[in-house]
Amino acid sequence: MIYRFNNIEVDLNKFELRSDKSPVLIEPKVFDLIVYLIQHRQRLVTREELFETVWDGREVSDTSLSNHIKSARKILGDNGNLQQVIKTVRSRGYQFIAPVNEVSQPSITEQNSQPPANRKMSHKTKISFTFIILLVTVIFLWKVNTSTTKENAPPYVLVLPLSVSSAHSVKWEPFADQITRELIQGLRKISGITIVPPPSSFAFKENKTRTHIKQKIPDVNYVLDGVINEDDAGNIRITVEFENLTNGQLLWDGDFDMQIGSTNRFNIQSEIASSVSDALKVIVLENEKQTLVKVPTNNVQAYDLYVQGQYQLSLMTHASVLRAIDYFSEAISIDQNFEAAYIAKANAYRVIMTFFEQPKKVLPKVISSAIEVLNINPESAQIMSQLGLAYVHAWQWQDAWNMLTKAQAKDPSIALTELGFALYHSAMGNVDGVKSALLKADRLDPLNLEIADWGLWALLMVNEVDAAIVWGTDKVKLHPSLPYPLLNLSVAEYINGNSQKSITLAKQGVQLSNRASLPLILLAQSYASAGQEVEAMALINEAQASNEYMCPYETAIVHVLLDNIDEAFELFNQAVAYQSNCLIFTRNDPRLQGLKKDVRYKALLTTIGLDDPIVLQYPK
């Protein structure tokens, strides 16, 4: 049987779900859930019935079922608000409501029942079959040995973003995201556990299927997941479960009730973190216990403003980041010792400086916000890391090295510290330093988009083109729906001499970005590398018409590729006036090889502190 509805086909013979005729990666249990709901679509299916049939009576939490329903909806083009395919009947169960067409087809058994033309196995086939058995045996033994080795490694835990089950999901989503961040931060304090950082964790917000997790981060062996439920009276219950991803065993689950308007919410995070450590039989040291129960602020109003600020920051638009800064500032005005709000505010300014506004105007705000944190907590490795990375972007090389070194000594598990070192080494031309720092950063936070983007540039700008293409190809696979992995890879391809492939990649990136200004400039570079000046200049004009901030450096590269050298240097000088972070690559950018003998290029290096005599004095 094939079930067809909307643009979906569910093929029971092949155990395959197709969207617009293309197979969709789907977890087996989610597939079984969809099929069962379709086959019983004439009625409501209770949660208890699903536990009994789809899960064969195995003890499964409501959280797991809710997450499987959410995954099914996403695959089918539905969601909890629309409910046009799977309808939730509150406190009872679910019903499949989309119109379905049934198409019968021969079973696999019938298809295979036709006598083969020749059943006799050849000598060559026997040898191949024997080889396959031998190969499977070797692979099996290798996996056994590998799994035995991994058992001795610290537990590697992924905290998935908490889901929301409420008629007011938009209201509770910022709170759910913040609870997730604080659970991650709490578990990071336990020395016997390795935790996936928030940027990589939130990459799974829209797809929590276990197959997807294993594909993206194969080394993760435990998952903490949960749902925030709101009843009709407005009471909140957080249901969490802790699962062994290797064998699917549910190690622990629990319910936590929370009173709105009180600080008992902070106790919940520490209780969950302690329960996880108990399930893993990891001993929490005394000093770690003290930090687990530390309350970020005693003022609930300040905390709620902070939660809204973090949510706005996560949206990553210019307007939302500015709103986030306002929320953080208001939270700080209520509680002037609210360290987390200061750190978040400094990070928001760093984001503004890196992506949205002239760095020269924003850097003083990054520094002043960071100093405010250090006045409260001089030992904050988080703020040292952010400040060190900001110093790299602002060409303050010695300050960058000092601050990143301090951050690394305080806490070697912060991925942004390693990214800062990678960019520093890229500016200096230290290939080994770039590769070593990027390897650490990628291990610490494998799905971090900032590391994905800057990592390729760090490699490319020391002329490690092949390594950059490998890096970029991997990141495109990890983030296929995002524009910048494609756009970054397009730059590496034209530097490698593949202009047409570069144009194809850049076009895809521009389309995904809704024709934002920087993607347009990168596509212009691809055209310029192919000598297509008319197309390149048209894209520059389109980007400039948007009135968005653009780093003049990348526009200058278009002119360099078109051999318009005077126009390029006018833009380089403008980049200096803006204190643009792109200039950190000036010394080693392979696209600038033809300018090495130009006196204006040498003057540019001196201005940004990257001429030969000065570079020799910097630490490496």
Side-chain angles (χ1 to χ4, degrees):
M1 181 70 68
I2 293 180
Y3 297 115
R4 290 177 178 163
F5 53 94
N6 301 336
N7 63 330
I8 301 293
E9 289 185 345
V10 180
D11 189 330
L12 300 193
N13 266 7
K14 296 183 178 179
F15 297 98
E16 184 175 81
L17 187 145
R18 297 183 288 271
S19 176
D20 294 324
K21 306 294 184 182
S22 299
V24 175
L25 185 67
I26 183 170
E27 188 175 349
K29 197 61 70 178
V30 176
F31 182 87
D32 294 344
L33 175 62
I34 291 171
V35 170
Y36 193 85
L37 290 174
I38 291 174
Q39 291 176 335
H40 299 84
R41 60 189 179 279
Q42 72 280 4
R43 62 177 175 83
L44 171 77
V45 179
T46 66
R47 302 170 75 88
E48 291 74 18
E49 182 180 346
L50 290 172
F51 290 144
E52 187 63 33
T53 55
V54 177
W55 276 270
D56 300 320
R58 185 170 73 87
E59 185 177 347
V60 180
S61 69
D62 286 344
T63 301
S64 183
L65 175 57
S66 297
N67 286 331
H68 280 75
I69 289 290
K70 183 176 181 180
S71 298
R73 281 177 170 148
K74 179 176 175 61
I75 288 168
L76 301 177
D78 195 18
N79 60 50
N81 293 324
L82 294 174
Q83 295 193 17
Q84 293 177 328
V85 179
I86 300 175
K87 178 183 177 181
T88 300
V89 181
R90 192 173 182 83
S91 301
R92 295 189 63 196
Y94 305 94
Q95 185 170 4
F96 196 95
I97 59 173
V100 176
N101 292 323
E102 298 183 2
V103 181
S104 297
Q105 60 175 342
S107 70
I108 292 176
T109 305
E110 291 170 343
Q111 292 171 11
N112 292 340
S113 64
Q114 301 300 322
N118 183 5
R119 288 185 177 272
K120 186 176 181 181
M121 185 181 290
S122 68
H123 178 66
K124 183 176 180 181
T125 305
K126 289 178 181 177
I127 294 174
S128 299
F129 187 65
T130 304
F131 175 75
I132 290 170
I133 293 175
L134 179 61
L135 180 62
V136 169
T137 304
V138 170
I139 291 173
F140 174 77
L141 292 173
W142 175 80
K143 285 190 172 183
V144 169
N145 290 334
T146 302
S147 63
T148 304
T149 304
K150 286 185 176 180
E151 285 178 1
N152 299 323
Y156 192 15
V157 179
L158 170 64
V159 181
L160 291 168
L162 298 186
S163 303
V164 178
S165 177
S166 166
H168 310 99
S169 58
V170 175
K171 170 186 173 184
W172 289 107
E173 186 176 356
F175 175 73
D177 288 353
Q178 188 55 34
I179 288 284
T180 304
R181 293 188 193 96
E182 289 176 9
L183 281 171
I184 292 170
Q185 293 305 324
L187 287 165
R188 282 186 74 246
K189 296 169 183 175
I190 301 174
S191 55
I193 304 174
T194 301
I195 302 294
V196 176
S200 290
S201 168
F202 277 85
F204 297 100
K205 188 170 183 178
E206 300 301 324
N207 187 350
K208 296 184 178 184
T209 60
R210 300 324 188 227
T211 305
H212 181 63
I213 292 169
K214 291 176 182 177
Q215 180 187 29
K216 298 292 185 182
I217 313 182
D219 291 337
V220 164
N221 48 17
Y222 295 94
V223 171
L224 180 69
D225 197 3
V227 175
I228 294 180
N229 296 279
E230 180 189 27
D231 64 19
D232 294 334
N235 299 313
I236 293 297
R237 168 168 288 183
I238 302 176
T239 302
V240 292
E241 61 178 16
F242 188 55
E243 175 187 342
N244 185 327
L245 192 60
T246 305
N247 57 21
Q249 180 184 2
L250 184 65
L251 299 178
W252 165 79
D253 64 358
D255 294 325
F256 300 85
D257 295 320
M258 190 187 76
Q259 298 175 357
I260 301 302
S262 73
T263 57
N264 80 316
R265 65 186 73 176
F266 305 125
N267 298 331
I268 290 172
Q269 285 93 299
S270 61
E271 288 176 23
I272 294 173
S274 297
S275 298
V276 169
S277 65
D278 289 343
L280 291 171
K281 298 180 174 58
V282 172
I283 297 174
V284 183
L285 304 177
E286 283 304 317
N287 63 321
E288 294 170 348
K289 289 179 183 178
Q290 295 173 10
T291 57
L292 277 178
V293 298
K294 184 180 178 182
V295 177
T297 175
N298 289 312
N299 191 295
V300 175
Q301 183 184 359
Y303 182 78
D304 287 339
L305 289 164
Y306 169 70
V307 169
Q308 291 299 324
Q310 286 282 29
Y311 181 72
Q312 290 295 325
L313 180 57
S314 72
L315 299 178
M316 278 298 289
T317 67
H318 192 184
S320 71
V321 179
L322 290 173
R323 285 194 294 271
I325 290 170
D326 290 339
Y327 277 120
F328 297 141
S329 297
E330 194 171 349
I332 290 167
S333 69
I334 295 172
D335 181 359
Q336 296 184 5
N337 292 313
F338 195 171
E339 180 183 344
Y342 283 107
I343 292 174
K345 182 179 177 181
N347 187 45
Y349 274 126
R350 188 183 64 81
V351 169
I352 290 284
M353 183 188 85
T354 305
F355 298 106
F356 299 115
E357 295 182 17
Q358 295 181 25
K360 185 176 182 178
K361 294 181 178 179
V362 186
L363 179 63
K365 297 176 182 178
V366 176
I367 295 173
S368 62
S369 298
I371 289 172
E372 287 174 333
V373 178
L374 294 174
N375 287 336
I376 297 171
N377 179 10
E379 304 300 311
S380 174
Q382 278 185 287
I383 204 62
M384 291 176 187
S385 177
Q386 289 185 25
L387 190 53
L389 184 53
Y391 280 147
V392 171
H393 284 308
W395 336 322
Q396 298 187 21
W397 308 113
Q398 189 64 57
D399 291 337
W401 178 269
N402 293 343
M403 195 59 66
L404 291 170
T405 302
K406 287 181 181 178
Q408 190 182 60
K410 295 287 181 186
D411 185 351
S413 69
I414 299 177
L416 284 186
T417 302
E418 301 304 328
L419 176 60
F421 275 123
L423 293 177
Y424 174 91
H425 288 305
S426 184
M428 301 299 147
N430 181 356
V431 175
D432 291 340
V434 171
K435 290 183 175 181
S436 174
L438 280 183
L439 182 63
K440 293 177 186 176
D442 204 42
R443 284 175 176 169
L444 290 168
D445 204 348
L447 298 180
N448 185 309
L449 285 174
E450 195 169 2
I451 293 171
D453 290 348
W454 285 110
L456 181 138
W457 287 96
L459 289 166
L460 199 56
M461 295 297 105
V462 289
N463 211 21
E464 287 293 304
V465 181
D466 290 341
I469 289 175
V470 171
W471 175 280
T473 302
D474 179 56
K475 299 308 177 186
V476 167
K477 290 178 182 177
L478 288 174
H479 308 285
S481 62
L482 298 178
Y484 283 101
L486 285 162
L487 290 158
N488 297 336
L489 184 56
S490 77
V491 176
E493 288 292 355
Y494 80 67
I495 289 177
N496 202 36
N498 301 321
S499 294
Q500 292 307 314
K501 185 175 182 180
S502 173
I503 291 170
T504 300
L505 290 166
K507 281 182 175 179
Q508 294 172 16
V510 165
Q511 185 176 2
L512 288 171
S513 75
N514 293 320
R515 302 190 75 82
S517 59
L518 179 57
L520 291 172
I521 295 299
L522 296 180
L523 177 55
Q525 290 180 10
S526 298
Y527 276 120
S529 72
Q532 297 178 237
E533 183 170 0
V534 173
E535 291 83 354
M537 295 308 299
L539 288 163
I540 288 179
N541 292 334
E542 182 182 347
Q544 290 174 340
S546 69
N547 292 321
E548 297 176 13
Y549 168 73
M550 299 185 299
C551 176
Y553 184 96
E554 294 303 332
T555 308
I557 295 297
V558 179
H559 288 286
V560 170
L561 293 169
L562 294 172
D563 206 27
N564 301 328
I565 304 304
D566 291 339
E567 291 87 342
F569 273 106
E570 287 181 11
L571 287 162
F572 286 139
N573 291 333
Q574 190 179 88
V576 170
Y578 289 173
Q579 207 165 359
S580 294
N581 49 30
C582 309
L583 286 164
I584 65 175
F585 299 127
T586 307
R587 175 179 168 84
N588 304 297
D589 190 336
R591 299 170 294 182
L592 303 183
Q593 286 300 312
L595 306 183
K596 295 286 187 178
K597 296 181 180 180
D598 195 308
V599 293
R600 293 172 293 183
Y601 174 77
K602 295 178 180 178
L604 185 62
L605 288 181
T606 301
T607 301
I608 59 181
L610 289 177
D611 56 320
D612 290 344
I614 299 176
V615 165
L616 292 173
Q617 299 174 22
Y618 296 140
K620 293 183 180 179

